């Protein structure tokens, strides 16, 4: 079965939010790798910033003109969960609170992305990527729950590991979308 090609107009619409999400994940991943002796404030504020900025790009992705309007509620749920988790982290930067808030937001967002894949991938070709991003988010959330006994540096490593995997996959997707956006549409004589 041949791969489904994303039309250039749709690829152009979603490339920027996908690249923004990838850059956000990569930036957080770099903080998690290179911050020596991270404490609970570094964990809380960097993960909170990652969640809030990611929520913005998720919403931008779902609200492009060509995306089905029926998915906006699912993405709004993801965005709200991530923003609320970010606020909780910012105002309660204790390690346990941050881990639980981050895990809850990632698990909910991941589950909703998988629902988008299952229900809407036939309507909108870019949603084919939501299966992988959904499972990565579920895994990152689960790893935070399993690491509740760790200190801030350990939890930052777990969250950063999930962000690294997400960044790699979403960067590949973003570059593929940029490439598809530049390809001419095939017409009757092409």
């Amino acid at each position: 079965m041949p791969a489904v090609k994303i039309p250039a107009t749709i690829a152009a619409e979603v490339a920027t939010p996908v690249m923004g999400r990838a850059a956000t994940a990569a930036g957080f991943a770099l903080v998690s790798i290179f911050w020596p002796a991270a404490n609970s404030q570094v964990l809380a504020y960097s993960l909170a910033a990652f969640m809030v900025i990611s929520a913005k790009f998720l919403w931008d992705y779902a609200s492009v003109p060509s995306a089905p309007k029926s998915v906006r509620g699912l993405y709004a749920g993801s965005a709200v969960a991530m923003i609320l988790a970010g606020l909780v982290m910012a105002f309660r930067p204790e390690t346990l609170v941050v881990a639980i808030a981050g895990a809850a937001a990632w698990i909910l967002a991941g589950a909703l992305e998988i629902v988008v894949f299952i229900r809407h991938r036939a309507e909108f070709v870019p949603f084919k990527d939501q299966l992988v991003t959904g499972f990565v988010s579920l895994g990152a959330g689960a790893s935070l729950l399993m690491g509740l006994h760790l200190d801030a540096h350990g939890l930052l490593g777990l969250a950063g590991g999930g962000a690294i995997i997400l960044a790699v996959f979403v960067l590949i997707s973003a570059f593929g979308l940029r490439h598809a956006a530049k390809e001419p549409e095939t017409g009757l004589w092409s």
Side-chain angles (χ1 to χ4, degrees), residues 59 61-77 112 115-124 127:
W59 179 250
Y61 177 69
S63 60
V64 297
S66 60
K69 293 189 183 354
S70 57
V71 300
R72 291 189 181 157
L74 295 169
Y75 276 105
L112 291 174
V115 169
V116 167
F117 171 81
I118 292 168
R119 290 187 185 169
H120 302 284
R121 72 181 180 274
E123 297 173 58
F124 194 63
F127 288 160

Side-chain angles (χ1 to χ4, degrees), residues 71-136:
V71 300
R72 291 189 181 157
L74 295 169
Y75 276 105
S78 294
V80 167
M82 293 175 92
I83 290 168
L84 288 175
L87 289 173
V88 166
M89 291 174 205
F91 289 109
R92 296 283 312 269
E94 297 95 29
T95 306
L96 182 64
V97 173
V98 171
I100 292 171
W106 252 332
I107 289 170
L108 180 62
L112 291 174
E113 284 192 280
I114 292 169
V115 169
V116 167
F117 171 81
I118 292 168
R119 290 187 185 169
H120 302 284
R121 72 181 180 274
E123 297 173 58
F124 194 63
V125 179
F127 288 160
K128 68 180 176 20
D129 294 339
Q130 293 348 106
L131 183 64
V132 174
T133 56
F135 276 113
V136 169

